[in-house]
Amino acid sequence: MEFSRRNFIKFFAGGLGGTLLTPLPWKLIDDIAIWTQNWSWVPVPEKGRFSHVNTVCTLCPGACGIQVRKVGSRAVKIEGRSDYPVNHGAVCPLGMAGLQVLYNEGIRWKAPMKRMGPRGSQEWKEISWDEAIDTLAARIKGFRDKGNPEKLAAVDGNQSRSTMALLIKRLLNSIGSPNYLRMPREEDTHSMVNFLMQGFDSPLTFDLENADFILSFGCGLLDGWGSSGRMLNVWRRWATNDRQHKTHIVQVDPRASNTASKADLWLAPSPGTEAALALGMAHVIIKEKLYSKEFIDNHSFGFSDWFDEKGLEHKGFSGIVLG
Ligand code: SF4
């Protein structure tokens, strides 16, 4: 047979096709899969009876109810709890991957670490809990003995009303330092709105499950807002509601977000003009008396002009909007 380019391709294609028809490649794939599973660094779950532990996911403030499946003492899977009122069985990808936080040693410290080099040098040494507590106690005692306990400050990343936040505040109180600092969170904005509208400095909750109409100004309801586990469920509920109970969603968003793409109506104002749009809507609602007078009279303050305790007159919201 002449050794030409055509004959070579025919020979190669025939050989490849023939090999694929034999058990050889499939057996090879199977063997490789088994072989790679036995690498020493690949975690292999223990065999044995399952047990389950009910708990709450703390990877974001959403606090979804989860059930952790265990084999022996090892956690092997995280699932959403269908009986939990926040998420009704749903969990987001971050929550599902929560075991990585437990087992991936590259992203988790398992013991106190002491910095050994200059700041930023990334030189750390693992120390025991006893040594860590003794070191901290000596430093804090030093501040108190010298009469300046305020030199101790705590920067807290927990939710403002969480048990951890309360414990850290109590610790600082007992030491005598007022320097409790908290990282700003989305819930701070909610609290401020609640305080300005209702006089309560506490986070708001939204009855989204039973809402008929949602007007969202840039709120990424389906883009990771709030508890994603809950929002996945809420969205499923909205989507499967019959026409009579349909929830209408209007998304005001300059960006074609997931929420905007799934809303009944997407309004895309130029960035920075959302407030003008809101005031325009308020203008029409007030001018054409489309609001609930009963609600305004009984549950709001400052709609009409009002006087403060010194007798000074202040313009009400309706007067400001109508100009
Ligand atoms: S939304 Fe995801 S990360 Fe947040 S609590 Fe729920 S499962 Fe955990």
Side-chain angles (χ1 to χ4, degrees), residues 74-141:
R74 189 178 178 94
V76 294
K77 188 159 193 249
I78 291 178
E79 294 165 305
R81 274 182 61 187
S82 54
D83 61 343
Y84 202 75
V86 172
N87 52 320
H88 296 282
V91 272
C92 76
L94 177 62
M96 262 189 268
L99 290 181
Q100 295 288 335
V101 181
L102 188 62
Y103 295 130
N104 187 339
E105 297 187 2
I107 58 170
R108 176 170 175 254
W109 284 343
K110 294 194 289 188
M113 304 292 281
K114 186 172 182 180
R115 180 164 54 79
M116 303 307 289
R119 242 179 243 281
S121 63
Q122 298 295 329
E123 290 171 34
W124 301 94
K125 182 182 145 212
E126 191 172 308
I127 57 173
S128 69
W129 280 104
D130 284 344
E131 186 182 344
I133 291 169
D134 288 348
T135 308
L136 283 176
R139 293 286 296 273
I140 293 170
K141 185 169 181 307

Side-chain angles (χ1 to χ4, degrees), residues 227-273:
S227 162
S228 310
R230 175 193 176 201
M231 289 315 300
L232 290 171
N233 249 305
V234 171
W235 195 269
R236 179 185 53 80
R237 188 165 164 163
W238 289 339
T240 52
N241 273 353
D242 55 38
R243 288 185 72 78
Q244 225 178 344
H245 301 102
K246 184 164 168 40
T247 302
H248 288 270
I249 299 136
V250 176
Q251 180 74 359
V252 180
D253 207 336
R255 192 172 66 89
S257 60
N258 286 340
T259 315
S261 67
K262 298 227 180 280
D264 294 289
L265 179 64
W266 171 32
L267 300 176
S270 299
T273 61

